Amino acid sequence: MSTKRPFASASVLESIAAQYPTPFYIYDEAGIRANAQRLVDAFAWNPGFKEYFAVKATPNPALIDILREYGAGVDCSSETELLLVEAMGMSGDDIMFSSNDTPAGEFEHALRLGATINLDDITHIPALASACERAGVDLPDTVSLRFNPGGDFAFANGIFGSPEGAKFGLTEPQMLEAARQLRDLGVEHIGVHALLASNTLSNDYYPTLARTLFAMAVRIEREVGVDVSLVNLSGGVGISYKPEDEDNDITLIGEGVRQAYEEILVPAGMGDVAIATELGRFMMGPYGALVTRVIHTKDTYHHYLGVDACAANLMRPMLYGAYHHITVMGKEDRPCDHLYDVVGMLCENSDRLADDRALPEVQVGDLLFIHDTGAHGHSMGYNYNGRLRSAELLLQEDGSVRLIRRAETPADYFATLDVLPVYDRLPKRKSERP
Ligand SMILES: *Cc1c(COP(=O)(O)O)cnc(C)c1O
């Protein structure tokens, strides 16, 4: 059971809020670093191991640069994400491109960057071949294939996903056929990838997935006679959003994958396969928080806390009913003897950050620390109701704070409209002046 203490104190957050108005996202550099080191240590037994951080989770260069110090590359899913990492100076072996329903031009961009391309469908082979022609390059030496074994994906403590119902990946016969086609086109090495469950809280997810992918890898080598050089376990290792949940233990997870590797790959003469991961949530989720201030209390049929953030800042509760733990800053040790619905200002009744949440008695002006929003939080933000996305801040190891993404201004909202010249003539609010 985790205790869910905020990584910054009430007085630190108040002094930050004096400089950067709420709401804002804040990330904990020390926490990101310690976790990245644990991952590296857990897979140190595999010389080719590499984490490709899932950019979509938290597409902020300052945060990705921290992970790069621990050997991480990136996993991109779109051309814009490729442009982002290109602008950061990344290329080649540092980029995995795991897209689906991929527009043709995006393969060209990935090829030009020398990314490892992970195909989601057998029909992407001719698409990749013609992208190579257009880009004037050969097919890459290594091409990876995304596997979908179908059925339900079950392990130790239950069913975690239903690959059969998922739009992703190739069937087992298609994996073999695709490997044949790629071999015949001159591709030398095949990668095998799968993402079969999301936010798993079990140290068995990766080891069970690894067994499935290792067996697939052995079949491809034996039956197709092409080298499998890479097994990509992708993302899906979860974090404990609720205080009563048990955290995953990445050391045990790495050890479980090692045992599967020794049992399946080594006896098949495949002891040189590199393991890749594409973790997003696990790398960043616990080390980011949305900090928002209570601006209204409202008592009708429920007790409401109206905050200055909304679903445009954090969509997960609205989208999946996701739980994010909330700490009322300065009241950390008071009894949680009040029940509140924590809501934003969107004209949508589903704009809630928490329902029926037990908290200490809250007053207008209190700061709320919304935990575990470091992944799939800010990046899912949107602009409904003309709401603007907040700033992102980095709480650095030395205690100082760095602005790593400014808050959006109305000018950003107007940037894609042809009324921008009219907007430019309007008087500007204080927050918009340069
Ligand atoms: C979303 C995604 C990830 C990251 O998933 P997490 O649950 O954040 O670890 C990795 N790979 C692919 C292909 C994805 O779509």
Side-chain angles (χ1 to χ4, degrees), residues 235-290:
V237 175
I239 60 172
S240 57
Y241 286 100
K242 296 183 177 165
E244 64 268 26
D245 288 340
E246 197 74 44
D247 277 321
N248 281 324
D249 181 336
I250 198 66
T251 307
L252 286 180
I253 291 172
E255 177 55 21
V257 175
R258 188 189 67 76
Q259 281 172 18
Y261 192 100
E262 301 282 333
E263 282 168 35
I264 301 170
L265 289 183
V266 173
M270 295 172 67
D272 56 350
V273 168
I275 302 293
T277 56
E278 300 173 340
L279 296 167
R281 191 187 317 269
F282 183 80
M283 302 311 289
M284 222 43 98
Y287 316 109
L290 173 60

Side-chain angles (χ1 to χ4, degrees), residues 54 56 75 98 146 193 195 198 234-236 278-281 376:
K56 71 171 193 241
D75 170 40
S98 300
R146 183 167 183 165
H193 167 285
L195 174 51
S198 179
S234 190
E278 300 173 340
L279 296 167
R281 191 187 317 269
H376 313 295

Side-chain angles (χ1 to χ4, degrees), residues 10 68 80 96 101 135 144 269 278 281-282 291 372 415:
R68 287 171 79 185
T80 312
M96 187 72 66
D101 189 25
S144 183
E278 300 173 340
R281 191 187 317 269
F282 183 80
V291 177
D372 303 314

Side-chain angles (χ1 to χ4, degrees), residues 7 41 150 167 169 178-179 218 244 252 283 286 297 302 313 378 388:
F7 53 74
D41 293 343
K167 68 172 178 169
V218 172
E244 64 268 26
L252 286 180
M283 302 311 289
T297 59
H302 289 243
N313 304 106
H378 188 283
L388 303 174

Side-chain angles (χ1 to χ4, degrees), residues 99 118-120 144-148 168-170 175 193-195:
S99 59
N118 192 24
L119 300 179
D120 183 65
S144 183
L145 297 169
R146 183 167 183 165
F147 181 34
N148 182 335
F168 304 111
L170 293 79
M175 289 290 286
H193 167 285
L195 174 51

Side-chain angles (χ1 to χ4, degrees), residues 65-263:
D65 272 338
I66 297 173
L67 298 178
R68 287 171 79 185
E69 289 182 41
Y70 298 82
V74 285
D75 170 40
C76 295
S77 60
S78 69
E79 184 159 31
T80 312
E81 287 181 356
L82 288 172
L83 284 166
L84 178 75
V85 302
E86 186 177 6
M88 293 173 64
M90 299 179 84
S91 65
D93 288 344
D94 276 334
I95 308 177
M96 187 72 66
F97 186 58
S98 300
S99 59
N100 69 97
D101 189 25
T102 313
E106 305 204 349
F107 282 135
E108 275 172 71
H109 202 133
L111 286 165
R112 265 190 280 114
L113 286 176
T116 302
I117 295 175
N118 192 24
L119 300 179
D120 183 65
D121 189 44
I122 195 159
T123 63
H124 290 178
I125 295 173
L128 182 65
S130 44
C132 287
E133 272 173 37
R134 287 194 304 275
V137 297
D138 292 335
L139 267 179
D141 291 342
T142 305
V143 173
S144 183
L145 297 169
R146 183 167 183 165
F147 181 34
N148 182 335
D152 283 327
F153 190 67
F155 49 96
N157 41 10
I159 290 176
F160 265 79
S162 175
E164 179 113 27
K167 68 172 178 169
F168 304 111
L170 293 79
T171 66
E172 186 153 352
Q174 287 175 336
M175 289 290 286
L176 295 164
E177 173 57 24
R180 266 181 221 112
Q181 290 181 13
L182 290 168
R183 176 202 64 193
D184 293 347
L185 287 166
V187 169
E188 285 168 29
H189 312 283
I190 299 291
V192 178
H193 167 285
L195 174 51
L196 300 185
S198 179
N199 192 35
T200 56
L201 276 186
S202 162
N203 296 325
D204 289 326
Y205 170 64
Y206 258 7
T208 307
L209 172 68
R211 278 172 203 279
T212 304
L213 297 187
F214 294 163
M216 185 75 248
V218 172
R219 268 199 83 181
I220 290 174
E221 271 214 13
R222 293 228 171 106
E223 295 178 30
V224 183
V226 62
D227 179 57
V228 176
S229 60
L230 173 73
V231 169
N232 184 342
L233 301 173
S234 190
V237 175
I239 60 172
S240 57
Y241 286 100
K242 296 183 177 165
E244 64 268 26
D245 288 340
E246 197 74 44
D247 277 321
N248 281 324
D249 181 336
I250 198 66
T251 307
L252 286 180
I253 291 172
E255 177 55 21
V257 175
R258 188 189 67 76
Q259 281 172 18
Y261 192 100
E262 301 282 333
E263 282 168 35

